[in-house]
Amino acid sequence: MEKKERKKNRFGLIGRNISYSFSQGYFTEKFDELGLKGHSYENFDLKDISFFPDLIAEQAFKGLNVTIPYKEEIIPYLDRLDAEADSIGAVNTIKFTDEELVGYNTDAHGFQESLKPHLKKHHKKALILGTGGASKAITYVLDKLGIDFCYVSRTPSKHQLSYIDLNRDKLEKYQVIINCSPVGTYPNTNEEPDIPYHYITDNHLLFDLIYNPSKTGFLKQGERYGAMIQNGLPMLQLQAEKAWQIWKR
């Protein structure tokens, strides 16, 4: 009976406060376009990751995506991680087989492929705003690309910067700035990370993982001072396609 249920091609997203999510609409439209009538994609808003075992006991899944704040917390509930997810220390995609739950990270692929077209030779150092699970795939990619990076946090630990540390000298050195924090996302679209935007120049690249709104206050400020800007939508689309390739193989 269990194996029969597993073949229903049910997919979904787990996270907290995810009604805004991109994934449900994306995969629902994808399944329609491909004529996959037996496939479904749903949001599962969990108040706590401890509800995950009950969810998968009650529902039969072929795959799940994982979003904030559970990309790290989900790991103990999985049977194993693929090599890249293990290196990153965060999971955003789960594949269900008859034997096990396997964790993957497709965020790294999405970020790398959406960042690379914008990189210039002088982009040697990056500031990462925020230290949550989303930032782990970012640092993994920057390390692969040979870009030095430093975290910026409201409560910095050793070797991290605080927002008040950011000055002209820091922004001249770090010409890639990546917002991995939720500051500026819907519905709080009037908020923006507290950095000295007046030191931004046309040598800078500002990348925001947020995709709703499409142009955050962070990106608007970058644009105002001549920087290249990129939101998180291409990253999301690329990571979703990578997840689909994992699920269907």
Side-chain angles (χ1 to χ4, degrees), residues 68-221:
I68 294 172
Y70 300 134
K71 293 185 180 187
E72 297 166 287
E73 293 182 30
I74 191 63
I75 292 175
Y77 295 90
L78 306 178
D79 296 302
R80 67 179 176 90
L81 306 183
D82 94 313
E84 192 165 61
D86 190 40
S87 295
I88 293 168
V91 164
N92 77 316
T93 300
I94 304 170
K95 180 171 182 171
F96 289 66
T97 74
D98 289 335
E99 295 81 26
E100 59 184 357
L101 275 64
V102 186
Y104 297 83
N105 189 302
T106 67
D107 282 335
H109 168 78
F111 176 65
Q112 180 169 317
E113 295 308 307
S114 54
L115 176 72
K116 281 169 64 177
H118 301 290
L119 290 176
K120 306 297 183 186
K121 288 183 178 180
H122 62 272
H123 290 146
K124 303 293 187 184
K125 292 178 178 288
L127 293 175
I128 301 172
L129 311 182
T131 58
S135 69
K136 290 198 163 187
I138 305 312
T139 59
Y140 175 82
V141 170
L142 294 177
D143 196 48
K144 273 179 66 177
L145 296 175
I147 298 174
D148 292 336
F149 58 85
C150 186
Y151 279 111
V152 181
S153 173
R154 289 176 295 179
T155 54
S157 59
K158 191 176 181 180
H159 304 306
Q160 296 180 352
L161 297 172
S162 71
Y163 284 89
I164 61 173
D165 292 326
L166 301 182
N167 54 27
R168 181 190 295 273
D169 179 62
K170 290 291 190 298
L171 266 67
E172 284 179 354
K173 291 179 179 177
Y174 293 88
Q175 296 188 334
V176 179
I177 307 176
I178 304 159
N179 181 34
C180 295
S181 80
V183 177
T185 196
Y186 180 84
N188 301 312
T189 57
N190 62 327
E191 298 179 359
E192 58 195 39
D194 186 16
I195 69 173
Y197 292 99
H198 53 285
Y199 295 136
I200 298 293
T201 70
D202 57 7
N203 286 325
H204 283 84
L205 166 60
L206 271 59
F207 192 111
D208 202 328
L209 269 60
I210 293 169
Y211 62 94
N212 184 9
S214 60
K215 192 180 289 185
T216 58
F218 171 72
L219 294 182
K220 287 178 181 177
Q221 289 277 27

Side-chain angles (χ1 to χ4, degrees), residues 22-23 26-27 29-30 106-107 109-111 113-114 211 230-244:
F22 153 94
S23 298
Y26 185 85
F27 280 107
E29 183 176 340
K30 184 177 187 66
T106 67
D107 282 335
H109 168 78
F111 176 65
E113 295 308 307
S114 54
Y211 62 94
Q230 177 61 62
N231 68 18
L233 185 59
M235 175 181 169
L236 271 171
Q237 293 168 333
L238 288 160
Q239 69 81 19
E241 284 303 313
K242 183 77 169 179
W244 175 238

Side-chain angles (χ1 to χ4, degrees), residues 22 36 40 45 65 93 133 200:
F22 153 94
L36 299 174
S40 66
D45 206 309
N65 289 127
T93 300
I200 298 293

